[in-house]
Amino acid sequence: MEPPAAVPAPRPGLPGSWDRFVGPGMGWQETALVIGAGSLGAVLTAWALAAQGAPLFLVVLGAVLALDVIGGAVCMATQTTKRWYHRPGVTTGQLASFVSLHLLHIGIVAWAFRGEGFDLTYAAAVSALLITAMVAVLATPRRLKLPVAVTFFLAATGLALGVLGATPGLEWFVPVLFVKLLIGHLVP
């Protein structure tokens, strides 16, 4: 077994901000995939929402969510980003904080895209499943992290599409969010 590759240091200045976000050393191919997937997701989401007659504010908000979640799912699948977020010294608390930050995304979808008012059932159910899944993946031995993450991804997909009902224009949101955070971010 080869020793893990050394993690390069972030560059100075503005490029260093990108490095601290996606991981230092991300090549142009990975960068193109991340930006391309996020951009395509944003355009298709904006198109779907506009076709449903959503107001411009929701079209833009949906596109921004898609850029982050879809681009982030691809980003978290790259070796560069996995190496960065699972480098020596990164704590379980730091991994959990990144996942927990995405509870805001769930709240935004529950507020802006799930009909009139705030869909508390949706927000509570998806958030509770995400937190439960995060704790389970973090507590699981390394060799079982991926199958546990996939199990919770499947549960989230069933919950979102079968139990709670799809969010028009953002049908992809819960499955892709769980891919990004569980399979991408939490699995080394």
Side-chain angles (χ1 to χ4, degrees):
M1 178 178 235
E2 294 180 31
V7 179
R11 296 170 289 182
L14 188 58
S17 297
W18 176 252
D19 289 349
R20 282 184 288 284
F21 188 61
V22 302
M26 182 173 275
W28 72 267
Q29 299 98 335
E30 288 177 321
T31 301
L33 282 168
V34 169
I35 293 171
S39 298
L40 180 60
V43 167
L44 292 176
T45 298
W47 185 18
L49 291 169
Q52 295 170 12
L56 181 59
F57 169 72
L58 292 184
V59 170
V60 171
L61 183 59
V64 169
L65 281 171
L67 181 67
D68 177 58
V69 176
I70 295 170
V74 173
C75 186
M76 290 294 165
T78 67
Q79 289 299 312
T80 301
T81 302
K82 283 191 172 289
R83 179 184 65 209
W84 178 246
Y85 283 100
H86 294 276
R87 71 191 183 278
V90 173
T91 66
T92 299
Q94 289 170 310
L95 292 170
S97 292
F98 183 83
V99 173
S100 298
L101 178 65
H102 289 78
L103 295 173
L104 292 172
H105 294 59
I106 296 167
I108 290 169
V109 171
W111 163 71
F113 297 100
R114 297 284 300 175
E116 295 298 316
F118 184 79
D119 187 341
L120 182 59
T121 301
Y122 175 90
V126 176
S127 295
L129 185 58
L130 179 60
I131 296 301
T132 301
M134 175 189 72
V135 169
V137 172
L138 288 173
T140 298
R142 185 181 179 112
R143 67 183 178 79
L144 295 175
K145 285 186 185 300
L146 181 57
V148 168
V150 168
T151 299
F152 278 101
F153 157 77
L154 295 170
T157 301
L159 174 69
L161 300 179
V163 177
L164 299 171
T167 304
L170 277 80
E171 296 86 354
W172 54 265
F173 174 73
V174 171
V176 178
L177 182 70
F178 275 65
V179 166
K180 174 184 177 178
L181 298 176
L182 299 183
I183 297 169
H185 182 68
L186 293 180
V187 175

